[in-house]
PDB file of all heavy atoms in Angstrom:
ATOM      1  N   ASP B  24     140.265  86.996  90.298  1.00  0.00           N
ATOM      2  CA  ASP B  24     140.665  85.941  91.233  1.00  0.00           C
ATOM      3  C   ASP B  24     141.105  84.679  90.500  1.00  0.00           C
ATOM      4  O   ASP B  24     142.123  84.063  90.850  1.00  0.00           O
ATOM      5  CB  ASP B  24     139.521  85.623  92.200  1.00  0.00           C
ATOM      6  CG  ASP B  24     139.263  86.754  93.173  1.00  0.00           C
ATOM      7  OD1 ASP B  24     140.178  87.565  93.399  1.00  0.00           O
ATOM      8  OD2 ASP B  24     138.133  86.830  93.711  1.00  0.00           O
ATOM      9  N   ASP B  25     140.341  84.272  89.479  1.00  0.00           N
ATOM     10  CA  ASP B  25     140.704  83.066  88.734  1.00  0.00           C
ATOM     11  C   ASP B  25     141.991  83.277  87.938  1.00  0.00           C
ATOM     12  O   ASP B  25     142.797  82.351  87.780  1.00  0.00           O
ATOM     13  CB  ASP B  25     139.572  82.645  87.802  1.00  0.00           C
ATOM     14  CG  ASP B  25     138.439  81.949  88.537  1.00  0.00           C
ATOM     15  OD1 ASP B  25     138.622  81.609  89.720  1.00  0.00           O
ATOM     16  OD2 ASP B  25     137.370  81.753  87.937  1.00  0.00           O
ATOM     17  N   ALA B  26     142.185  84.487  87.427  1.00  0.00           N
ATOM     18  CA  ALA B  26     143.419  84.773  86.701  1.00  0.00           C
ATOM     19  C   ALA B  26     144.620  84.663  87.627  1.00  0.00           C
ATOM     20  O   ALA B  26     145.659  84.090  87.256  1.00  0.00           O
ATOM     21  CB  ALA B  26     143.349  86.160  86.077  1.00  0.00           C
ATOM     22  N   MET B  27     144.490  85.190  88.851  1.00  0.00           N
ATOM     23  CA  MET B  27     145.605  85.115  89.797  1.00  0.00           C
ATOM     24  C   MET B  27     145.851  83.686  90.258  1.00  0.00           C
ATOM     25  O   MET B  27     146.974  83.322  90.611  1.00  0.00           O
ATOM     26  CB  MET B  27     145.324  86.019  91.003  1.00  0.00           C
ATOM     27  CG  MET B  27     145.238  87.505  90.655  1.00  0.00           C
ATOM     28  SD  MET B  27     146.670  88.102  89.730  1.00  0.00           S
ATOM     29  CE  MET B  27     147.967  87.908  90.949  1.00  0.00           C
ATOM     30  N   ALA B  28     144.797  82.860  90.238  1.00  0.00           N
ATOM     31  CA  ALA B  28     144.935  81.452  90.611  1.00  0.00           C
ATOM     32  C   ALA B  28     145.388  80.590  89.432  1.00  0.00           C
ATOM     33  O   ALA B  28     145.505  79.375  89.573  1.00  0.00           O
ATOM     34  CB  ALA B  28     143.612  80.926  91.157  1.00  0.00           C
ATOM     35  N   GLU B  29     145.627  81.225  88.287  1.00  0.00           N
ATOM     36  CA  GLU B  29     146.097  80.552  87.071  1.00  0.00           C
ATOM     37  C   GLU B  29     145.132  79.460  86.601  1.00  0.00           C
ATOM     38  O   GLU B  29     145.539  78.390  86.154  1.00  0.00           O
ATOM     39  CB  GLU B  29     147.514  79.988  87.263  1.00  0.00           C
ATOM     40  CG  GLU B  29     148.554  81.062  87.519  1.00  0.00           C
ATOM     41  CD  GLU B  29     149.972  80.514  87.523  1.00  0.00           C
ATOM     42  OE1 GLU B  29     150.148  79.326  87.865  1.00  0.00           O
ATOM     43  OE2 GLU B  29     150.896  81.271  87.172  1.00  0.00           O
ATOM     44  N   LYS B  30     143.832  79.748  86.709  1.00  0.00           N
ATOM     45  CA  LYS B  30     142.820  78.838  86.199  1.00  0.00           C
ATOM     46  C   LYS B  30     142.462  79.223  84.769  1.00  0.00           C
ATOM     47  O   LYS B  30     142.566  80.389  84.376  1.00  0.00           O
ATOM     48  CB  LYS B  30     141.559  78.884  87.060  1.00  0.00           C
ATOM     49  CG  LYS B  30     141.747  78.414  88.494  1.00  0.00           C
ATOM     50  CD  LYS B  30     140.435  78.515  89.255  1.00  0.00           C
ATOM     51  CE  LYS B  30     140.574  78.047  90.694  1.00  0.00           C
ATOM     52  NZ  LYS B  30     139.286  78.165  91.438  1.00  0.00           N
ATOM     53  N   ALA B  31     142.021  78.253  83.981  1.00  0.00           N
ATOM     54  CA  ALA B  31     141.468  78.546  82.666  1.00  0.00           C
ATOM     55  C   ALA B  31     140.011  78.975  82.840  1.00  0.00           C
ATOM     56  O   ALA B  31     139.350  78.560  83.798  1.00  0.00           O
ATOM     57  CB  ALA B  31     141.567  77.327  81.747  1.00  0.00           C
ATOM     58  N   PRO B  32     139.470  79.781  81.911  1.00  0.00           N
ATOM     59  CA  PRO B  32     138.134  80.356  82.114  1.00  0.00           C
ATOM     60  C   PRO B  32     136.969  79.465  81.676  1.00  0.00           C
ATOM     61  O   PRO B  32     135.953  79.959  81.208  1.00  0.00           O
ATOM     62  CB  PRO B  32     138.195  81.634  81.272  1.00  0.00           C
ATOM     63  CG  PRO B  32     139.103  81.276  80.156  1.00  0.00           C
ATOM     64  CD  PRO B  32     140.143  80.364  80.737  1.00  0.00           C
ATOM     65  N   TYR B  33     137.116  78.165  81.819  1.00  0.00           N
ATOM     66  CA  TYR B  33     136.004  77.269  81.470  1.00  0.00           C
ATOM     67  C   TYR B  33     136.046  76.040  82.364  1.00  0.00           C
ATOM     68  O   TYR B  33     137.077  75.719  82.969  1.00  0.00           O
ATOM     69  CB  TYR B  33     136.047  76.862  79.995  1.00  0.00           C
ATOM     70  CG  TYR B  33     137.229  76.000  79.603  1.00  0.00           C
ATOM     71  CD1 TYR B  33     137.125  74.617  79.556  1.00  0.00           C
ATOM     72  CD2 TYR B  33     138.453  76.566  79.258  1.00  0.00           C
ATOM     73  CE1 TYR B  33     138.201  73.822  79.190  1.00  0.00           C
ATOM     74  CE2 TYR B  33     139.540  75.787  78.884  1.00  0.00           C
ATOM     75  CZ  TYR B  33     139.409  74.416  78.855  1.00  0.00           C
ATOM     76  OH  TYR B  33     140.482  73.632  78.499  1.00  0.00           O
ATOM     77  N   GLU B  34     134.898  75.355  82.443  1.00  0.00           N
ATOM     78  CA  GLU B  34     134.762  74.144  83.260  1.00  0.00           C
ATOM     79  C   GLU B  34     133.938  73.120  82.493  1.00  0.00           C
ATOM     80  O   GLU B  34     133.017  73.481  81.754  1.00  0.00           O
ATOM     81  CB  GLU B  34     134.067  74.451  84.585  1.00  0.00           C
ATOM     82  CG  GLU B  34     134.802  75.452  85.471  1.00  0.00           C
ATOM     83  CD  GLU B  34     133.993  75.886  86.679  1.00  0.00           C
ATOM     84  OE1 GLU B  34     132.744  75.800  86.622  1.00  0.00           O
ATOM     85  OE2 GLU B  34     134.608  76.326  87.671  1.00  0.00           O
ATOM     86  N   ILE B  35     134.263  71.844  82.691  1.00  0.00           N
ATOM     87  CA  ILE B  35     133.517  70.754  82.074  1.00  0.00           C
ATOM     88  C   ILE B  35     133.024  69.823  83.178  1.00  0.00           C
ATOM     89  O   ILE B  35     133.828  69.346  83.989  1.00  0.00           O
ATOM     90  CB  ILE B  35     134.385  69.968  81.070  1.00  0.00           C
ATOM     91  CG1 ILE B  35     134.892  70.904  79.958  1.00  0.00           C
ATOM     92  CG2 ILE B  35     133.602  68.795  80.485  1.00  0.00           C
ATOM     93  CD1 ILE B  35     135.876  70.246  79.002  1.00  0.00           C
ATOM     94  N   TYR B  36     131.728  69.591  83.206  1.00  0.00           N
ATOM     95  CA  TYR B  36     131.124  68.668  84.167  1.00  0.00           C
ATOM     96  C   TYR B  36     130.705  67.408  83.398  1.00  0.00           C
ATOM     97  O   TYR B  36     129.812  67.465  82.547  1.00  0.00           O
ATOM     98  CB  TYR B  36     129.917  69.307  84.852  1.00  0.00           C
ATOM     99  CG  TYR B  36     130.282  70.471  85.743  1.00  0.00           C
ATOM    100  CD1 TYR B  36     130.438  71.757  85.220  1.00  0.00           C
ATOM    101  CD2 TYR B  36     130.473  70.297  87.119  1.00  0.00           C
ATOM    102  CE1 TYR B  36     130.778  72.833  86.031  1.00  0.00           C
ATOM    103  CE2 TYR B  36     130.823  71.358  87.936  1.00  0.00           C
ATOM    104  CZ  TYR B  36     130.978  72.627  87.388  1.00  0.00           C
ATOM    105  OH  TYR B  36     131.321  73.686  88.183  1.00  0.00           O
ATOM    106  N   TRP B  37     131.352  66.289  83.728  1.00  0.00           N
ATOM    107  CA  TRP B  37     131.103  65.032  83.015  1.00  0.00           C
ATOM    108  C   TRP B  37     130.457  64.029  83.966  1.00  0.00           C
ATOM    109  O   TRP B  37     130.976  63.762  85.037  1.00  0.00           O
ATOM    110  CB  TRP B  37     132.427  64.471  82.492  1.00  0.00           C
ATOM    111  CG  TRP B  37     132.231  63.534  81.347  1.00  0.00           C
ATOM    112  CD1 TRP B  37     132.164  62.172  81.416  1.00  0.00           C
ATOM    113  CD2 TRP B  37     132.080  63.873  79.969  1.00  0.00           C
ATOM    114  NE1 TRP B  37     131.978  61.633  80.156  1.00  0.00           N
ATOM    115  CE2 TRP B  37     131.915  62.660  79.246  1.00  0.00           C
ATOM    116  CE3 TRP B  37     132.043  65.079  79.266  1.00  0.00           C
ATOM    117  CZ2 TRP B  37     131.740  62.634  77.867  1.00  0.00           C
ATOM    118  CZ3 TRP B  37     131.869  65.051  77.899  1.00  0.00           C
ATOM    119  CH2 TRP B  37     131.723  63.843  77.218  1.00  0.00           C
ATOM    120  N   PRO B  38     129.313  63.453  83.599  1.00  0.00           N
ATOM    121  CA  PRO B  38     128.618  62.518  84.502  1.00  0.00           C
ATOM    122  C   PRO B  38     129.489  61.308  84.845  1.00  0.00           C
ATOM    123  O   PRO B  38     130.163  60.748  83.972  1.00  0.00           O
ATOM    124  CB  PRO B  38     127.394  62.089  83.690  1.00  0.00           C
ATOM    125  CG  PRO B  38     127.200  63.170  82.682  1.00  0.00           C
ATOM    126  CD  PRO B  38     128.570  63.667  82.344  1.00  0.00           C
ATOM    127  N   LYS B  39     129.460  60.915  86.104  1.00  0.00           N
ATOM    128  CA  LYS B  39     130.184  59.727  86.534  1.00  0.00           C
ATOM    129  C   LYS B  39     129.525  58.490  85.939  1.00  0.00           C
ATOM    130  O   LYS B  39     128.300  58.372  85.913  1.00  0.00           O
ATOM    131  CB  LYS B  39     130.202  59.634  88.065  1.00  0.00           C
ATOM    132  CG  LYS B  39     130.980  60.760  88.737  1.00  0.00           C
ATOM    133  CD  LYS B  39     130.887  60.660  90.250  1.00  0.00           C
ATOM    134  CE  LYS B  39     131.649  59.463  90.775  1.00  0.00           C
ATOM    135  NZ  LYS B  39     133.115  59.594  90.565  1.00  0.00           N
ATOM    136  N   GLU B  40     130.357  57.562  85.486  1.00  0.00           N
ATOM    137  CA  GLU B  40     129.806  56.360  84.867  1.00  0.00           C
ATOM    138  C   GLU B  40     129.071  55.494  85.877  1.00  0.00           C
ATOM    139  O   GLU B  40     128.155  54.772  85.523  1.00  0.00           O
ATOM    140  CB  GLU B  40     130.927  55.565  84.195  1.00  0.00           C
ATOM    141  CG  GLU B  40     131.494  56.295  82.992  1.00  0.00           C
ATOM    142  CD  GLU B  40     132.362  55.411  82.122  1.00  0.00           C
ATOM    143  OE1 GLU B  40     132.543  54.230  82.472  1.00  0.00           O
ATOM    144  OE2 GLU B  40     132.842  55.910  81.089  1.00  0.00           O
ATOM    145  N   ASP B  41     129.427  55.601  87.161  1.00  0.00           N
ATOM    146  CA  ASP B  41     128.729  54.827  88.192  1.00  0.00           C
ATOM    147  C   ASP B  41     127.285  55.260  88.319  1.00  0.00           C
ATOM    148  O   ASP B  41     126.461  54.560  88.890  1.00  0.00           O
ATOM    149  CB  ASP B  41     129.426  54.994  89.542  1.00  0.00           C
ATOM    150  CG  ASP B  41     130.776  54.307  89.572  1.00  0.00           C
ATOM    151  OD1 ASP B  41     131.023  53.459  88.701  1.00  0.00           O
ATOM    152  OD2 ASP B  41     131.580  54.638  90.457  1.00  0.00           O
ATOM    153  N   ASP B  42     126.948  56.473  87.792  1.00  0.00           N
ATOM    154  CA  ASP B  42     125.591  57.006  87.923  1.00  0.00           C
ATOM    155  C   ASP B  42     124.744  56.731  86.692  1.00  0.00           C
ATOM    156  O   ASP B  42     123.675  57.305  86.525  1.00  0.00           O
ATOM    157  CB  ASP B  42     125.641  58.517  88.162  1.00  0.00           C
ATOM    158  CG  ASP B  42     126.287  58.859  89.487  1.00  0.00           C
ATOM    159  OD1 ASP B  42     126.261  58.011  90.392  1.00  0.00           O
ATOM    160  OD2 ASP B  42     126.820  59.970  89.600  1.00  0.00           O
ATOM    161  N   ASN B  43     125.193  55.864  85.807  1.00  0.00           N
ATOM    162  CA  ASN B  43     124.474  55.645  84.553  1.00  0.00           C
ATOM    163  C   ASN B  43     123.029  55.210  84.746  1.00  0.00           C
ATOM    164  O   ASN B  43     122.170  55.494  83.927  1.00  0.00           O
ATOM    165  CB  ASN B  43     125.187  54.590  83.698  1.00  0.00           C
ATOM    166  CG  ASN B  43     126.345  55.197  82.926  1.00  0.00           C
ATOM    167  OD1 ASN B  43     126.499  56.404  82.902  1.00  0.00           O
ATOM    168  ND2 ASN B  43     127.148  54.355  82.295  1.00  0.00           N
ATOM    169  N   ASN B  44     122.765  54.500  85.825  1.00  0.00           N
ATOM    170  CA  ASN B  44     121.397  54.022  86.055  1.00  0.00           C
ATOM    171  C   ASN B  44     120.629  54.892  87.024  1.00  0.00           C
ATOM    172  O   ASN B  44     119.553  54.545  87.456  1.00  0.00           O
ATOM    173  CB  ASN B  44     121.434  52.575  86.574  1.00  0.00           C
ATOM    174  CG  ASN B  44     122.000  51.614  85.544  1.00  0.00           C
ATOM    175  OD1 ASN B  44     121.718  51.756  84.361  1.00  0.00           O
ATOM    176  ND2 ASN B  44     122.814  50.663  85.995  1.00  0.00           N
ATOM    177  N   ASP B  45     121.213  56.050  87.347  1.00  0.00           N
ATOM    178  CA  ASP B  45     120.556  56.946  88.295  1.00  0.00           C
ATOM    179  C   ASP B  45     119.410  57.680  87.618  1.00  0.00           C
ATOM    180  O   ASP B  45     119.536  58.150  86.491  1.00  0.00           O
ATOM    181  CB  ASP B  45     121.572  57.958  88.829  1.00  0.00           C
ATOM    182  CG  ASP B  45     120.941  58.914  89.818  1.00  0.00           C
ATOM    183  OD1 ASP B  45     120.224  58.454  90.718  1.00  0.00           O
ATOM    184  OD2 ASP B  45     121.177  60.119  89.676  1.00  0.00           O
ATOM    185  N   ASN B  46     118.283  57.769  88.280  1.00  0.00           N
ATOM    186  CA  ASN B  46     117.121  58.455  87.723  1.00  0.00           C
ATOM    187  C   ASN B  46     116.927  59.827  88.335  1.00  0.00           C
ATOM    188  O   ASN B  46     115.821  60.355  88.379  1.00  0.00           O
ATOM    189  CB  ASN B  46     115.846  57.612  87.954  1.00  0.00           C
ATOM    190  CG  ASN B  46     115.861  56.341  87.143  1.00  0.00           C
ATOM    191  OD1 ASN B  46     116.269  56.362  85.987  1.00  0.00           O
ATOM    192  ND2 ASN B  46     115.440  55.238  87.744  1.00  0.00           N
ATOM    193  N   GLY B  47     118.023  60.427  88.804  1.00  0.00           N
ATOM    194  CA  GLY B  47     117.931  61.717  89.470  1.00  0.00           C
ATOM    195  C   GLY B  47     117.495  62.819  88.543  1.00  0.00           C
ATOM    196  O   GLY B  47     117.476  62.695  87.326  1.00  0.00           O
ATOM    197  N   SER B  48     117.163  63.959  89.134  1.00  0.00           N
ATOM    198  CA  SER B  48     116.711  65.108  88.361  1.00  0.00           C
ATOM    199  C   SER B  48     117.903  65.844  87.805  1.00  0.00           C
ATOM    200  O   SER B  48     119.043  65.500  88.024  1.00  0.00           O
ATOM    201  CB  SER B  48     115.875  66.035  89.240  1.00  0.00           C
ATOM    202  OG  SER B  48     116.668  66.531  90.299  1.00  0.00           O
ATOM    203  N   GLY B  49     117.604  66.921  87.071  1.00  0.00           N
ATOM    204  CA  GLY B  49     118.668  67.779  86.586  1.00  0.00           C
ATOM    205  C   GLY B  49     119.005  67.570  85.125  1.00  0.00           C
ATOM    206  O   GLY B  49     119.974  68.128  84.644  1.00  0.00           O
ATOM    207  N   THR B  50     118.222  66.782  84.391  1.00  0.00           N
ATOM    208  CA  THR B  50     118.544  66.516  82.997  1.00  0.00           C
ATOM    209  C   THR B  50     118.220  67.696  82.107  1.00  0.00           C
ATOM    210  O   THR B  50     118.865  67.919  81.102  1.00  0.00           O
ATOM    211  CB  THR B  50     117.794  65.283  82.478  1.00  0.00           C
ATOM    212  OG1 THR B  50     116.380  65.503  82.637  1.00  0.00           O
ATOM    213  CG2 THR B  50     118.174  64.055  83.273  1.00  0.00           C
TER     214      THR B  50
END
């Protein structure tokens, strides 16, 4: 499906700078 959609086989998730002071979970 991703090949037919012409996507590359990787993803990068970069934290939003507005969340720099966020103490949320997930670290």
Side-chain angles (χ1 to χ4, degrees):
D24 291 338
D25 283 349
M27 296 308 295
E29 297 188 332
K30 296 180 180 179
Y33 66 96
E34 299 172 336
I35 301 174
Y36 293 85
W37 202 264
K39 295 176 69 66
E40 292 194 359
D41 290 343
D42 295 335
N43 278 351
N44 295 321
D45 180 47
N46 292 319
S48 62
T50 58

